[in-house]
Amino acid sequence: MGTFGRRLLLAVDAKGYGGVDVVTQREWQEAIRRLLEEAARVAGLDWEQWVTQVGGDSVFAVLPQGASEPALVDPFMRQLESGLRMFNRNRRDEAWLRLRAAVHFGTASPAANGFEGRAPVEIGRLLDSRVLKAALAAAPEAHLALAVSATVFNDVIGEAYTTIRPQEFREVRVAEKEYAGRAWIRVPGYDVERLDLGVAGPGAEDGPGGAEAAAARPRSAPTAPGDTVVHVINGTVHAPGAVFGISK
């Protein structure tokens, strides 16, 4: 029987790594490790205790038990974005290092070739999701795009354990391979709600038929015959003489 444990996970990946020359790839690899170490130091997270798997332009890290989730989401990410901004200063546009990052907390235990459990798989799906890639692509001046899992958003950001407001995140649906779930995305320096992610909203299906289906009928279009309209009102409504319903 395997060992059960819940751990804090981080994954990062560089945009456009395969399209740059070898010199730039080398610079990016060195910068990614340095910037992660600096961000960990600033956030008070012991980098030496991290277990990392490196794949050129990508890093998957399992933090030690007891590592602070608010520290990883807030000061770590702020320092990482700041470090990226400094690294990219005076570099030509095509040589900018721009990262996608994902944070998750869940089951992950040591195994023969890394870690096993649901969380390592799930954070990989968040990092490689079409919606996170779209967020970075839609924000050309951004250096970082972050996705956090529902667990992290609800327990850390939603409960005000960070200085980052929940309104700075946008809820999206992620459906990648066998994984389907919710995520919250933040792009520092941008109003993420205004970015075109190719999705209709948190309650809509992503991918083909998502945003397109939502746009098929204009908001002002009349209800088609046979359609069912449901109006849900939460709380007390004071509307003397009002009539709620559909008049044919």
Side-chain angles (χ1 to χ4, degrees), residues 8-247:
L8 181 59
L9 309 179
L10 168 72
V12 301
D13 188 71
K15 173 178 169 54
Y17 181 81
V20 298
D21 58 45
V22 174
V23 174
T24 303
Q25 288 181 345
R26 184 182 305 117
E27 293 174 344
W28 283 10
Q29 288 190 28
E30 294 172 351
I32 290 172
R33 181 176 181 85
R34 175 176 58 81
L35 294 174
L36 292 178
E37 288 188 37
E38 289 178 356
R41 176 181 54 80
V42 170
L45 298 168
D46 188 357
W47 172 265
E48 297 300 325
Q49 298 300 315
W50 293 26
V51 179
T52 59
Q53 296 177 353
V54 180
D57 64 325
S58 64
V59 176
F60 167 69
V62 180
L63 278 65
Q65 290 185 350
S68 170
E69 294 174 60
L72 185 62
V73 172
D74 194 344
F76 179 92
M77 289 300 168
R78 291 188 187 278
Q79 176 61 34
L80 179 59
E81 197 272 337
S82 175
L84 287 167
R85 196 179 333 113
M86 292 296 295
F87 176 80
N88 290 329
R89 179 179 294 180
N90 298 324
R91 293 176 67 88
R92 64 188 191 280
D93 291 348
E94 59 270 23
W96 267 31
L97 173 57
R98 307 175 68 211
L99 295 180
R100 303 188 317 277
V103 175
H104 186 25
F105 181 82
T107 55
S109 302
N113 190 29
F115 280 79
E116 62 184 9
R118 292 174 57 93
V121 174
E122 292 171 347
I123 195 172
R125 300 298 181 252
L126 295 180
L127 184 69
D128 293 334
S129 64
R130 290 167 292 174
V131 68
L132 184 59
K133 291 179 179 179
L136 193 57
E141 299 297 320
H143 306 277
L144 176 70
L146 169 66
V148 301
S149 66
T151 300
V152 173
F153 182 84
N154 292 331
D155 294 349
V156 178
I157 300 159
E159 294 295 330
Y161 286 111
T162 71
T163 62
I164 305 174
R165 297 175 302 125
Q167 293 82 357
E168 296 180 46
F169 287 81
R170 175 174 171 178
E171 183 183 359
V172 296
R173 179 178 180 271
V174 175
E176 299 291 337
K177 297 183 179 180
E178 74 291 339
Y179 174 77
R182 314 303 305 180
W184 277 258
I185 289 179
R186 177 175 181 260
V187 181
Y190 281 81
D191 180 354
V192 71
E193 291 291 348
R194 295 180 177 272
L195 296 180
D196 181 7
L197 307 184
V199 299
E205 295 292 325
D206 299 347
E212 293 85 352
R217 185 200 297 177
R219 293 178 182 270
S220 59
T223 304
D227 280 1
T228 300
V229 177
V230 178
H231 193 123
V232 178
I233 301 174
N234 294 318
T236 302
V237 176
H238 181 68
V243 177
F244 297 90
I246 299 297
S247 177

